[in-house]
Amino acid sequence: AGSARRPEHRGPPELFYDEAEARKYTQNSRVVEIQSQMSERAVELLGLPEDRPCLLLDVGCGSGLSGDYISEEGHYWIGMDISPAMLDVAVEREVEGDLLLADVGHGIPFRAGMFDGCISISAVQWLCNADKKSHRPPKRLYRFFSTLYTALAQGSRAVLQLYPENSEQLELITAQAMRAGFTGGMVVDYPNSAKAKKFFLCLFVGASGTLPKGLGTECADEPHQAKFTTERTRFKNIKGKSVKKSRDWILEKKERRRRQGKEVRADTKYTGRKRRPHF
């Protein structure tokens, strides 16, 4: 399952994220904020074309928090997660992506070249745990990366944010990715900050691209890079997009869902209007 915090437990994610934990996780405003920030950064590192919508894979999608950002950017997505409780919450939240209950350690079960990119927020490090006697972390990691490589289109990228427990774990993950055919490497944002430091494994399919620079690595370069701070401008109109939760934003979201063939309530004068508080 995806997680916006460093895991401090050793149990398997499908057991750790039970119904109560899944709801608590999704309703925690701090978790939602961190997850949104990391999703925004991961999508930015994908380097997607701006002139067309893309189909993305979200590995360890959890309750769909990272998928929300993908949808807001106008892209389509399919999410995989091993926790039924997390996916139940995603269904209740009526996320716009399709959902699949699966263990990515068994591989990515999609046809070759299907996806234009892949993101994963705080999930891949789970594959380093041997939660069952049959689990062999190197084999599970290789199975994941080799089938992911096949499922991605030539020239696309996978950006996997993770929390490695130590340098050995980081080396194991990177080695299996390279063995599966990927090129690329680790992008570390704010490497000198214990709190803000984030690891993004940026992988290329086919021709090797230029590895992006981590944020906060060179002060002189920061103005030329996208800002990644708590004071985000993601939903402001500087991008020409509607402010989140505004009437226009809600209408745009409803129209996207109609184009996807989903049932949507009719637009009325009350659409987007704030309700009075209940006592």
Side-chain angles (χ1 to χ4, degrees), residues 7-29:
E8 297 175 352
H9 41 79
R10 300 298 259 165
E14 67 271 30
L15 297 181
F16 179 80
Y17 290 108
D18 59 15
E19 185 176 349
E21 185 68 21
R23 292 184 186 284
K24 186 170 69 173
Y25 177 93
T26 308
Q27 293 168 359
N28 185 314
S29 60

Side-chain angles (χ1 to χ4, degrees), residues 79-100:
M80 296 178 65
D81 204 281
I82 198 173
S83 167
M86 278 291 202
L87 294 177
D88 285 343
V89 175
V91 171
E92 288 178 15
R93 295 180 61 246
E94 297 185 338
V95 297
E96 295 184 31
D98 291 320
L99 304 169
L100 176 66

Side-chain angles (χ1 to χ4, degrees), residues 46 115-118 151-158 182 203-207:
L46 282 179
F115 295 99
D116 301 304
C118 167
L152 290 170
Q154 283 293 307
S156 63
R157 299 181 185 181
F182 285 106
L203 303 172
F204 304 106
V205 180

Side-chain angles (χ1 to χ4, degrees), residues 105-135:
H106 294 162
I108 305 298
F110 294 101
R111 63 177 172 79
M114 180 169 171
F115 295 99
D116 301 304
C118 167
I119 70 165
S120 179
I121 307 299
S122 314
V124 175
Q125 72 274 344
W126 288 96
L127 292 175
C128 295
N129 297 342
D131 295 317
K132 298 178 181 177
K133 285 185 178 181
S134 60
H135 283 182

